[in-house]
Amino acid sequence: MALLSVAAKSSYDEKIAGVLEPFLRRIEATPPGICPISVQLSLLESSGAHTCGKCVPCRDGIPQLAAMMRRVLDCQADAETLQAMRTLAEMIRDTSDCAIGYEAGALVVEGLDAFADEYRSHIEAGACAAGVEQTVPCETRCPAHVNVPGYIALVQEGDCAGAVKMIRKDNPWPTACALICEHPCETRCRRMLIDAPLNIRGIKKYAVDNAPADTVPVPPRMPDSGRKVAVIGGGPSGMTCAYFLALMGHAVTVYEGRKKLGGMMRYGIPAYRFPRERIDEDIRAILSVGGIEVLYEHKVDAAEMKQIAEDYDAVYLAIGAQGGKSLQLEGVDAEGVMSAVQLLGRIGDDDYPDFTGKKVIVIGGGNVAMDCARTSVRAGAAEVTVAYRRRIEDMTALHEEIEGAMAEGVEMMCLQAPVRIEKDEEGKVAGLVCQPQYISAVKRGRPAPAAANKPEIRLDADIILIAVGQDIESAPFEEYGMKAERTRFCADEYLRAAGFENIFVGGDCQTGPKSAIMAIGAGKVAARNIDEFLGFNHKLDPCVDTPEPRPNVREAFGRVNVAERPARERGKDFEHIELPISEEEIMQECGRCLRCDVYGCGALEGGRIQYV
Amino acid sequence: MTNTIADITQDSDVIMLVGSNPEEAHPVLGMQIRKAVENGTKLILVDPREIGLAKYADIHLKLRPGTNVAFANGVVHILIKEGLVDEEYVASRTSGFEELAKMVESYTPERVAEICHIDVRDLVAAAKLYGQANAAPIIYCLGVTEHSTGTEGVMSLSNIAMVNGKLGKPGCGVNPIRGQNNVQGACDMGAQPNTFTGYQKVMDPAVVEKFEKAWGTDLNPNEGTKATEVFPAAIEGRIKGLYLFGEDPVRTDPDTNHVIKALTNLDFFVVQELFMTETAKLADVILPGRSFAEKEGTFSNTERRVQRVRKAVDGPAGAQLDTWIFTEIMQRMGYDQPHLSAAEIMDEISSVTPSFGGITHARLDSAEVGGRGLQWPCPNAEHPGTPIMHVGKFAKGLGTYSTAEYRPSVELPDGEYPLMLTTGRILYHYNACAMTARTEGLNEIVNSSFIEINTADADELGIADGDRVKVTSRRASIESTARVSGKTNPGETWMPFHFQDGNSNWLTIAALDNIAKAPEFKVCAVRVEKL
Amino acid sequence: MSNERKLVTVTVDGVQVQVPETFTILAAGNKAGVHIPTLCYLKDVSDIGSCRVCSVEVEGASALQPACKTRVTDGMVVHTDTELVKQYRKLMLQLVLADHGLDSTNYCFSCAKNGACELQALCRELDVTESAFAPSTPAKREPVLEDNPFLAYDPNLCIRCQRCVGACNNRAHNHTLTTGKRGLRTSILAPFGPDWKSTECESCGNCAAACPTGAITEKRRREYRSWEVTRTRTTCPHCAVGCQMDLVAKDGRIVDVEPAWGPSNRGMLCVKGRSGSFDFVHAEDRLTTPLIKNAETGEFEPASWDEALDLVASKFAQIRDENGGDALAAFACSRSTNEDVYMLMKMARTVFKTNNVDNCARV
């Protein structure tokens, strides 16, 4: 027989990895606003590239299907083509031998349903549906549509205060977003075509570190409009709305239920991630506009809401999602069991718990669970364990949060579903009993756990923190008459509360618990639409201009990350865990910006999402 | 064959292939051996050449031509030494084991390896591989029989199978792959000087009496002369008249000069043929017969399987059915032979041949047989035929062993003729090419003589691949084209015997096997010179 | 080897059958009397399941299953005639047809296999008269490989079912004809091009026998249409394997050979059987009249059968009578039939009065 060889059958297998990696990045950098049919066609053609050529449905069917889809994409097809495409795609799905074929078919079938409007538009209107057009990725992906290339350019030119002004044009929380934003702006960064997405949050952090928000003057307030607006809830959404309304000259009254402003950024996010003095910088700047009256520790009930709606020209309801979800667990009433919201809420008012020597178990796998675990470490706990039903990779918490917690000594007990809480004779928590799980079929897009054929395990515990989600305390407002679906307030895309003329609603209480930047984006939209409702069309001057672009730096660089204090050290206090970024680092990082606002689609009419 | 092709290629663990190149000489069997090996059957190849199957072989014993008996005796020696004798089989089914054991005592692996020019370790490994297998056929071909010790070679191979208990069982046996399409049938039909149909002995008076009665005439009671001995007899004048039916010995028999001398010395020589062959040119009368496509009949393949031949076309006007010609001659020589159809002839065959008793054209064409033919012995119309011979008991009772010792070939290389010449077949042609050379495409693939020479010998002789060379034996000189490679061992050459432009049979020796009288086509001594 | 094959119960289109668990759905369908169309499948040669024409619905399965290679399981319920199955079958054929290069043969008119093409037959069976699809490469015209003396490959007609590859691998076990696994551009690498002599191809033609279309053909196939010929089952006249084959004759001439199933050849032939077993039958130099050598000139002269036979009879009788039967000998042809040999043997013994009868077994 022939000699065996250790060489790869195809010498390209290794080399091709060098193409696949940029290919993958190109897919990741898919610009927002792209026509989904063109993406589907690329996908289908990739499947065509994958086919081994054995079977008719895949080998012959995919090119024919792609040809039809190409005709649809080119707006050269009719409704009959769509039907033929579906039949062929279903045939490929149902008869292909391997996943290359049947997944290709399935994806087309799913796409025909998911993007039915777009397909119809190509057939009937001979064009993409409205809104399908490319826009600048970072700016589009930011819910507040902050002029990202603009402030990066300002930082690069050494104007951090200008950068803060540029951020503030759309978002009065530059410090908050510099420290705790989930940065969706980075997800489609075009820089990925070359190396990696820009560290946009890092650049923003550099700006506010070097030009604290409360030292950068806000734009001048416009003349008094004579209109009064009530904002219920002094969190990111409410205060954003208040800020812009105040700048427009409206008189704003903020009803805040707690002692301080900031909402979940103060009462849900621990200080080591967002130091209290830093949140105050943003709040001081916002209040410095003038025309904003804050009523602290003022909870609004149904009767007062009715009154407010009558007394004010407009109302913006942004109460967030401040209630802690609990679990239907035996023993959940034991002393020592508390929700994440309870724990973090107390800390927000500087009431730090003392867990010295205690064994703490956190139930949950989200960012809040990590916050609880890391807070427990700092509160002196002897052992901190996170019990989670799924695997680490299934946790909804950010990867760096999980890594940070583990570095600080938190034990991740994955694939453990809590069954009951054991109490001692005094009714205090003694332990948590869990049923081991194994990861199983994907349900609704996520691999779901199933009970494993293994005995229950018991974990010792003195404190159990339940971090399985937040509730919206919608009851008083529903009682007043506002519509809500499973506690989420109903509103249209302009945030007009269903059934009311002058009430707007947004943020977590409308979307369910989401990110700060989404709440901020909602606050900005609400302010604009309230201004419109009140009969105005105020334009705000950001008091800063975007610098002229520099040419693209086409050489590939590594992405500069924000460094953190050593885990051993930072776990002992509630001080901020992040370290400053140096000037040379940030200049390199800014230099990587491709200035999509100027180069490419940003230069086109409609290529940007900006308003002043 | 004792077994069937399906049996030995599908139900065996190990195949021992000796002196056979089925990929070229029996290609469809070769395909099935390749399949067997790909499906996991081990292959022991015993052949002097690096034939195509060598790359499929687990062990290739590239032995010196003419040393098969030594090889077989050596294997038996090793089987005994390694405790691989099937004691029960030997005791119950064979006789004479003690004599065999005594004879092979001196065939130590070391001695045999030296005789055969092989590695002693390979020999031992091959013997063990065969001996330890559950089912293992020995398959052999003309590389075993075409020697002056051919019959002894065959019987020595049988020794191996019997000692190891591998005869009369599925996936085993000793299986000659017959050379031509109906060699088996020609022998079965009594075209032999010592047997009538179905191997009924001429020397048995009861048999002669039976045929005299069946044919209604007196018969010659003396055993006849074998074909290869007819030529010397013709030269001596003892044989004066020869009727040759469809053979071309001038091209296919050894020592062409000798053959021509014999044929020209005859008083009267008749050839019944399709074409004007080299042999026919020497005839006094040529009678044109019909080809297989123009007649009804049967062939018996190497598995003893009798299968139908059917008429597809009329053939050229003027030629006659061969059976018509024989019948006419019989009639004209005073014997009352009626003209019979092929089916009627087969009826007569079955009536005089016990092993063909159940074989008729009607049955072969029946749905019962379903195109699978019938394997003799098939004694009556109910008998399904016999796929595997010697099951439970040998036809002749107890199996007997050959105690033949190794004898060197008659003509070995020497100073004057330093190279050994072996002859054989290639894939694209058949024997004297009477049929295949009339297909243009086959000629396009290959149509002329060549001689394979080992690279070392060629270097020494200053011969390059593709050079024209002169090949000389004690009998004649011919010209051919050198193919230089490692296919043959140093000191050994090989030629196909198909091509008239350099026919190897001018060179070969008419030395005959002492029993079956087959010529030693596989070994003679030659000298090769660059032209 | 084991005969203890477990039986399972399968229902095909409502017909319940018991079959061994090693059966495919196709085989079970056969047993149930349900015809499931196939294209790329060839028993013992290829079951790679490339055409998917045999896809059927199996209750409880997440997708359609190819009947040719899906093993049955106990209690399996199969539907082969649902609207979906029928629709997919047609679609599959249309996909195949789109790239079959129909225009390259003027819609079958100039194809050697017209009338003997399995694709043509299947389209007819399933009522597919045209393809809804355009050729993936319009006006595809690839060069036909036909340097091999016997075999030709027309890539324009290839439907890439790979039965030929299965034949080379699983019949001939020669592994010379392979698939160029180039994804969408998958093709057959047939060794019939200008370099055919340097390949390992044995020209056995088992690939051509396996090809369902006119893509791989014996070149002889161009000389006749399937409806012009008669086929005669016979045994190959070359070596002793005894392969079964059909002689294909047109107007009294053999024009081709097709392999047939026999116990020793199992549907295979070699190059000699397939291509070198009949040209000689119609060779120009066949002897067509008895010849008698003129003793004086040494030249052969045509003679009548009576002349020749009388001469032979009288000469042999004379030698026999003068020197005894042992002065005569007769050799049989070990290429000829048993019946011929028997009669020659009988002639030698009864009228030559000799046992000097033999055949060429020894050479």
Side-chain angles (χ1 to χ4, degrees):
Chain A
M1 297 280 174
L3 292 177
L4 300 181
S5 164
V6 293
K9 196 167 179 189
S10 164
S11 63
Y12 299 133
D13 286 351
E14 288 298 319
K15 283 185 199 159
I16 213 162
V19 182
L20 290 180
E21 197 266 342
F23 193 8
L24 201 59
R25 284 192 276 108
R26 180 165 286 271
I27 292 168
E28 284 181 310
T30 298
I34 197 170
C35 171
I37 301 176
S38 70
V39 176
Q40 282 220 289
L41 181 59
S42 300
L43 189 62
L44 189 59
E45 283 175 343
S46 292
S47 300
H50 285 182
T51 186
C52 74
K54 190 189 80 157
C55 304
V56 169
C58 178
R59 177 194 69 211
D60 299 331
I62 288 177
Q64 295 289 1
L65 188 55
M68 286 193 257
M69 198 182 278
R70 164 66 62 187
R71 288 202 299 279
V72 174
L73 183 64
D74 294 344
C75 303
Q76 303 290 321
D78 53 19
E80 230 169 82
T81 312
L82 273 192
Q83 187 49 49
M85 266 183 72
R86 180 179 293 274
T87 306
L88 183 56
E90 286 173 346
M91 186 272 263
I92 295 169
R93 178 193 65 191
D94 295 345
T95 61
S96 289
D97 202 22
C98 81
I100 291 172
Y102 62 70
E103 280 295 304
L107 284 168
V108 171
V109 175
E110 285 163 25
L112 282 168
D113 292 332
F115 305 114
D117 293 345
E118 181 66 13
Y119 279 101
R120 198 175 311 118
S121 180
H122 278 247
I123 299 289
E124 291 169 6
C128 286
V132 175
E133 54 185 25
Q134 278 195 38
T135 47
V136 176
C138 48
E139 180 174 283
T140 307
R141 297 286 296 161
C142 175
H145 308 305
V146 171
N147 182 354
V148 178
Y151 77 75
I152 290 176
L154 286 161
V155 171
Q156 194 178 17
E157 301 305 334
D159 183 4
C160 287
V164 169
K165 287 180 188 166
M166 186 60 85
I167 295 164
R168 222 180 242 158
K169 175 173 77 68
D170 300 287
N171 170 7
W173 294 96
T175 316
C177 286
L179 269 56
I180 52 95
C181 188
E182 288 186 357
H183 48 77
C185 51
E186 295 177 14
T187 52
R188 297 280 173 80
C189 178
R190 188 161 300 158
R191 186 72 204 186
M192 275 192 277
L193 297 177
I194 299 171
D195 39 44
L198 257 77
N199 189 341
I200 298 174
R201 182 181 75 82
I203 294 168
K204 186 154 47 201
K205 180 169 183 293
Y206 180 85
V208 298
D209 284 354
N210 290 281
D214 54 352
T215 67
V216 178
V218 296
R221 188 173 178 228
M222 301 190 88
D224 191 350
S225 69
R227 303 295 200 282
K228 294 194 299 176
V229 182
V231 172
I232 307 185
S237 199
M239 292 312 291
T240 300
C241 184
Y243 170 79
F244 286 115
L245 288 170
L247 279 179
M248 291 165 184
H250 306 303
V252 183
T253 305
V254 177
Y255 290 82
E256 172 53 52
R258 296 191 186 252
K259 286 179 188 160
K260 293 179 181 173
L261 292 173
M264 290 305 274
M265 294 195 299
R266 183 187 296 276
Y267 293 99
I269 294 176
Y272 62 83
R273 285 178 58 206
F274 194 2
R276 302 309 173 213
E277 63 276 15
R278 299 303 305 269
I279 194 171
D280 289 339
E281 289 170 12
D282 277 344
I283 292 169
R284 275 197 292 277
I286 290 167
L287 295 178
S288 72
V289 174
I292 302 174
E293 183 192 5
V294 184
L295 305 175
Y296 293 98
E297 296 186 83
H298 191 116
K299 288 220 171 192
V300 175
D301 60 16
E304 188 174 19
M305 182 62 197
K306 182 168 186 290
Q307 194 60 49
I308 290 170
E310 283 169 13
D311 291 352
Y312 289 85
D313 296 300
V315 182
Y316 180 52
L317 185 67
I319 58 168
Q322 303 233 345
K325 265 199 167 68
S326 192
L327 287 171
Q328 299 294 321
L329 275 186
E330 182 190 332
V332 79
D333 56 341
E335 188 185 335
V337 178
M338 62 183 111
S339 75
V341 170
Q342 280 173 297
L343 174 80
L344 298 174
R346 276 165 55 189
I347 293 174
D349 283 329
D350 299 327
D351 177 8
Y352 287 89
D354 182 6
F355 292 162
T356 305
K358 298 246 165 71
K359 290 179 177 171
V360 180
I361 295 176
V362 180
I363 298 173
N367 281 325
V368 176
M370 296 307 127
D371 288 344
C372 289
R374 298 176 77 176
T375 296
S376 302
V377 169
R378 286 163 175 78
E383 280 178 15
V384 181
T385 304
V386 169
Y388 182 54
R389 292 197 304 150
R390 294 178 161 92
R391 304 164 303 174
I392 286 195
E393 52 266 55
D394 303 317
M395 287 182 169
T396 55
L398 292 176
H399 177 68
E400 49 265 39
E401 285 293 320
I402 299 167
E403 230 179 28
M406 287 167 70
E408 290 163 13
V410 175
E411 181 79 37
M412 300 292 167
M413 293 281 287
C414 291
L415 293 168
Q416 299 297 340
V419 176
R420 62 185 173 277
I421 293 167
E422 288 188 355
K423 290 187 264 194
D424 61 16
E425 305 82 52
E426 297 168 33
K428 287 183 182 166
V429 171
L432 177 68
V433 177
C434 294
Q435 171 59 52
Q437 309 283 302
Y438 70 99
I439 202 71
S440 189
V442 172
K443 287 176 191 161
R444 272 165 291 168
R446 286 178 81 193
N453 186 18
K454 292 178 187 169
E456 290 177 349
I457 62 159
R458 181 188 179 282
L459 303 169
D460 281 344
D462 303 307
I463 305 282
I464 292 178
L465 302 171
I466 299 175
V468 295
Q470 289 149 241
D471 276 335
I472 299 161
E473 294 170 336
S474 61
F477 304 96
E478 287 196 59
E479 188 190 332
Y480 159 65
M482 292 185 65
K483 277 194 197 133
E485 256 176 44
R486 300 170 85 196
T487 74
R488 289 182 201 175
F489 294 112
C490 301
D492 61 14
E493 64 177 298
Y494 308 106
L495 300 184
R496 293 181 295 215
F500 292 88
E501 282 263 305
N502 67 336
I503 301 180
F504 292 74
V505 61
D508 282 358
C509 68
Q510 185 243 339
T511 58
K514 300 277 181 195
S515 62
I517 188 65
M518 281 189 70
I520 292 165
K524 180 176 107 169
V525 166
R528 285 276 168 188
N529 293 350
I530 288 169
D531 189 48
E532 170 83 22
F533 168 72
L534 296 176
F536 300 94
N537 186 15
H538 286 108
K539 291 175 189 64
L540 300 172
D541 179 4
C543 304
V544 65
D545 291 320
T546 304
E548 284 302 303
R550 302 188 188 185
N552 280 187
V553 174
R554 297 185 179 201
E555 294 76 30
F557 285 84
R559 170 183 155 113
V560 170
N561 290 326
V562 179
E564 293 187 346
R565 294 163 61 207
R568 255 195 306 266
E569 186 191 301
R570 71 190 188 219
K572 292 174 186 156
D573 58 44
F574 283 90
E575 300 298 314
H576 194 203
I577 58 172
E578 286 187 337
L579 294 169
I581 309 167
S582 69
E583 187 187 355
E584 62 186 355
E585 285 176 317
I586 220 65
M587 286 306 146
Q588 178 179 309
E589 198 60 16
C590 292
R592 294 203 299 132
C593 179
L594 299 175
R595 287 301 301 271
C596 301
D597 59 330
V598 182
Y599 299 114
C601 73
L604 284 174
E605 168 278 324
R608 305 198 59 190
I609 304 183
Q610 284 292 304
Y611 23 63
V612 285
Chain B
M1 286 173 69
T2 58
N3 294 53
T4 69
I5 289 173
D7 176 54
I8 59 173
T9 56
Q10 290 172 26
D11 296 342
S12 56
D13 308 313
V14 174
I15 291 172
M16 184 186 275
L17 190 65
V18 188
S20 169
N21 185 7
E23 282 190 309
E24 306 218 40
H26 304 90
V28 172
L29 170 63
M31 292 169 188
Q32 292 175 76
I33 290 178
R34 293 197 287 233
K35 177 177 189 168
V37 173
E38 283 172 21
N39 288 345
T41 302
K42 307 274 190 298
L43 178 64
I44 301 167
L45 178 63
V46 184
D47 196 285
R49 289 164 74 223
E50 195 79 21
I51 58 173
L53 281 175
K55 69 174 186 285
Y56 284 80
D58 295 82
I59 301 173
H60 180 191
L61 299 177
K62 207 174 169 186
L63 83 183
R64 181 83 161 156
T67 62
N68 294 321
V69 173
F71 158 75
N73 288 347
V75 171
V76 172
H77 177 103
I78 295 164
L79 291 176
I80 293 173
K81 284 285 173 307
E82 296 287 338
L84 291 168
V85 173
D86 185 335
E87 307 280 358
E88 203 220 306
Y89 185 95
V90 165
S92 65
R93 305 242 353 229
T94 72
S95 70
F97 178 73
E98 295 310 318
E99 290 80 359
L100 173 70
K102 205 171 140 210
M103 186 274 291
V104 300
E105 185 65 43
S106 63
Y107 287 85
T108 61
E110 290 71 20
R111 183 182 159 218
V112 171
E114 203 184 318
I115 294 170
C116 299
H117 294 197
I118 54 178
D119 190 312
V120 64
R121 295 168 298 184
D122 295 350
L123 175 65
V124 174
K128 285 178 164 174
L129 186 58
Y130 172 84
Q132 290 168 358
N134 260 333
I138 296 172
I139 303 174
Y140 70 90
C141 192
L142 303 178
V144 171
T145 52
E146 288 182 350
H147 288 286
S148 55
T149 56
T151 308
E152 291 165 359
V154 172
M155 292 166 72
S156 305
L157 291 176
S158 299
N159 287 349
I160 298 176
M162 285 197 290
V163 163
N164 197 233
K166 286 196 173 79
L167 206 50
K169 292 179 181 172
C172 295
V174 178
N175 300 282
I177 308 302
R178 307 305 302 257
Q180 301 170 57
N181 59 324
N182 204 33
V183 161
Q184 183 69 52
C187 297
D188 299 345
M189 288 302 101
Q192 301 208 105
N194 56 342
T195 62
F196 289 94
T197 58
Y199 307 95
Q200 302 173 80
K201 294 265 186 292
V202 169
M203 291 313 286
D204 182 342
V207 169
V208 176
E209 197 185 327
K210 169 179 146 182
F211 276 92
E212 283 180 336
K213 200 173 157 202
W215 290 344
T217 183
D218 294 338
L219 295 174
N220 185 332
N222 305 319
E223 198 164 281
T225 310
K226 293 189 170 70
T228 40
E229 290 175 325
V230 163
F231 297 126
I235 291 170
E236 290 164 22
R238 283 187 284 116
I239 288 185
K240 298 180 188 300
L242 175 62
Y243 194 106
L244 192 65
F245 170 38
E247 275 195 69
D248 192 3
V250 170
R251 285 181 70 166
T252 61
D253 279 31
D255 193 352
T256 306
N257 281 320
H258 169 80
V259 173
I260 292 173
K261 193 173 166 195
L263 296 177
T264 48
N265 205 38
L266 290 165
D267 285 358
F268 192 62
F269 179 29
V270 178
V271 169
Q272 185 168 321
E273 249 303 348
L274 303 179
F275 298 104
M276 182 62 80
T277 62
E278 293 301 311
T279 303
K281 287 175 186 167
L282 305 176
D284 295 300
V285 177
I286 303 175
L287 303 172
R290 289 214 185 276
S291 78
F292 85 111
E294 298 149 8
K295 60 174 70 151
E296 299 290 328
T298 55
F299 289 153
S300 301
N301 82 344
T302 190
E303 305 166 296
R304 297 167 279 106
R305 191 187 301 280
V306 181
Q307 302 187 114
R308 287 278 278 119
V309 172
R310 294 187 181 86
K311 184 182 168 187
V313 290
D314 291 333
Q320 293 286 3
L321 274 181
D322 298 279
T323 50
W324 180 89
I325 299 171
F326 300 137
T327 303
E328 283 293 320
I329 292 172
M330 282 190 260
Q331 288 177 358
R332 284 162 208 253
M333 287 180 79
Y335 178 73
D336 185 19
Q337 172 67 42
H339 281 285
L340 299 177
S341 70
E344 290 165 337
I345 294 168
M346 182 52 82
D347 291 342
E348 180 176 326
I349 293 167
S350 23
S351 72
V352 297
T353 314
S355 57
F356 275 65
I359 301 177
T360 63
H361 283 202
R363 191 169 175 211
L364 290 171
D365 292 341
S366 71
E368 172 219 343
V369 166
R372 287 187 300 276
L374 285 165
Q375 286 174 283
W376 65 259
C378 178
N380 56 59
E382 283 70 47
H383 196 281
T386 308
I388 304 177
M389 298 275 274
H390 314 305
V391 176
K393 182 169 167 292
F394 287 103
K396 299 173 198 158
L398 289 180
T400 53
Y401 297 101
S402 161
T403 52
E405 302 259 3
Y406 161 70
R407 288 184 292 118
S409 297
V410 168
E411 185 180 82
L412 291 172
D414 55 19
E416 206 178 340
Y417 300 99
L419 297 171
M420 194 180 265
L421 173 69
T422 301
T423 65
R425 293 187 168 115
I426 64 164
L427 172 62
Y428 299 99
H429 283 285
Y430 210 82
N431 283 18
C433 305
M435 289 151 77
T436 50
R438 287 176 173 83
T439 295
E440 209 172 304
L442 292 176
N443 293 334
E444 192 183 339
I445 295 172
V446 54
N447 68 346
S448 83
S449 163
F450 61 86
I451 178 166
E452 291 176 358
I453 309 175
N454 183 275
T455 312
D457 297 326
D459 285 352
E460 205 169 298
L461 295 165
I463 294 168
D465 191 45
D467 279 354
R468 291 293 291 170
V469 292
K470 185 167 117 181
V471 189
T472 310
S473 77
R474 286 186 172 80
R475 290 153 293 281
S477 257
I478 57 158
E479 289 183 13
S480 191
T481 303
R483 286 195 184 175
V484 177
S485 73
K487 203 165 174 183
T488 57
N489 285 314
E492 297 168 16
T493 64
W494 184 91
M495 287 187 81
F497 63 88
H498 306 301
F499 304 111
Q500 194 57 12
D501 67 333
N503 192 328
S504 61
N505 282 325
W506 290 96
L507 307 171
T508 49
I509 182 169
L512 301 183
D513 169 38
N514 57 339
I515 301 163
K517 308 298 176 195
E520 188 150 47
F521 284 108
K522 297 300 185 189
V523 180
C524 72
V526 295
R527 181 171 69 231
V528 180
E529 296 151 287
K530 187 176 170 177
L531 275 174
Chain C
M1 300 275 283
S2 164
N3 292 322
E4 296 161 34
R5 286 189 302 178
K6 209 179 125 199
L7 289 178
V8 296
T9 304
V10 183
T11 309
V12 187
D13 291 347
V15 182
Q16 209 175 62
V17 283
Q18 283 222 316
V19 294
E21 61 180 351
T22 52
F23 264 41
T24 60
I25 294 176
L26 185 65
N30 235 343
K31 176 116 192 261
V34 174
H35 167 68
I36 302 171
T38 59
L39 182 56
C40 74
Y41 175 75
L42 203 56
K43 191 168 187 295
D44 297 332
V45 171
S46 189
D47 67 347
I48 61 170
S50 77
C51 76
R52 320 302 281 185
V53 165
C54 68
S55 294
V56 293
E57 283 189 56
V58 174
E59 286 188 10
S62 55
L64 269 63
Q65 303 293 315
C68 70
K69 64 170 196 165
T70 305
R71 291 277 184 98
V72 293
T73 54
D74 199 25
M76 186 182 256
V77 180
V78 180
H79 300 284
T80 78
D81 61 348
T82 65
E83 286 310 308
L84 190 71
V85 168
K86 287 195 262 188
Q87 182 191 24
Y88 284 180
R89 262 180 209 153
K90 284 188 166 194
L91 213 47
M92 218 73 80
L93 270 189
Q94 290 185 27
L95 285 172
V96 171
L97 215 49
D99 280 323
H100 179 51
L102 283 173
D103 55 340
S104 76
T105 58
N106 296 312
Y107 300 89
C108 301
F109 275 98
S110 59
C111 178
K113 288 286 278 296
N114 190 8
C117 169
E118 289 182 41
L119 178 61
Q120 200 180 46
L122 195 60
C123 284
R124 206 160 160 230
E125 179 190 331
L126 300 181
D127 193 25
V128 172
T129 50
E130 59 186 347
S131 180
F133 305 103
S136 61
T137 43
K140 163 170 103 167
R141 279 292 187 283
E142 290 178 45
V144 176
L145 303 179
E146 52 184 349
D147 295 273
N148 181 292
F150 304 115
L151 294 158
Y153 172 56
D154 183 347
N156 304 300
L157 300 180
C158 178
I159 59 170
R160 303 179 284 184
C161 68
Q162 297 159 66
R163 273 163 50 158
C164 52
V165 179
C168 198
N169 287 338
N170 303 325
R171 273 206 167 134
H173 287 264
N174 200 33
H175 310 290
T176 301
L177 190 144
T178 57
T179 310
K181 300 176 221 35
R182 311 274 157 71
L184 296 176
R185 296 176 298 106
T186 286
S187 60
I188 300 304
L189 306 179
F192 311 146
D195 61 343
W196 65 277
K197 269 192 175 176
S198 63
T199 70
E200 297 287 312
C201 174
E202 293 174 347
S203 305
C204 66
N206 285 301
C207 49
C211 182
T213 70
I216 294 184
T217 49
E218 293 278 350
K219 289 179 176 175
R220 300 185 191 274
R221 195 68 188 69
R222 299 168 184 167
E223 305 306 317
Y224 62 94
R225 295 294 194 190
S226 57
W227 54 84
E228 297 170 335
V229 295
T230 56
R231 289 178 172 75
T232 306
R233 179 68 46 86
T234 194
T235 304
C236 178
H238 288 298
C239 79
V241 171
C243 299
Q244 296 297 291
M245 61 191 204
D246 286 342
L247 293 174
V248 180
K250 173 184 170 182
D251 302 333
R253 280 183 78 86
I254 304 169
V255 289
D256 203 356
V257 158
E258 288 174 356
W261 194 94
S264 62
N265 70 309
R266 314 184 78 78
M268 294 180 271
L269 285 180
C270 75
V271 59
K272 288 191 288 280
R274 180 88 203 225
S275 294
S277 58
F278 61 90
D279 289 304
F280 73 93
V281 171
H282 303 293
E284 292 294 317
D285 58 348
R286 272 287 291 274
L287 298 171
T288 53
T289 180
L291 298 168
I292 297 174
K293 191 176 270 170
N294 183 321
E296 278 153 35
T297 63
E299 296 295 316
F300 284 111
E301 292 169 358
S304 74
W305 274 101
D306 272 337
E307 273 178 277
L309 290 169
D310 283 341
L311 177 62
V312 170
S314 63
K315 274 289 196 179
F316 275 106
Q318 186 193 345
I319 296 171
R320 177 193 65 195
D321 296 344
E322 287 173 8
N323 302 285
D326 286 343
L328 292 175
F331 293 171
C333 175
S334 53
R335 314 291 300 273
S336 198
T337 63
N338 286 322
E339 292 77 0
D340 288 350
V341 175
Y342 176 81
M343 290 304 283
L344 173 110
M345 183 275 296
K346 187 174 178 183
M347 175 181 80
R349 297 195 205 267
T350 56
V351 300
F352 292 3
K353 297 295 179 193
T354 185
N355 285 322
N356 294 343
V357 56
D358 208 347
N359 70 83
C360 40
R362 288 171 184 81
V363 296

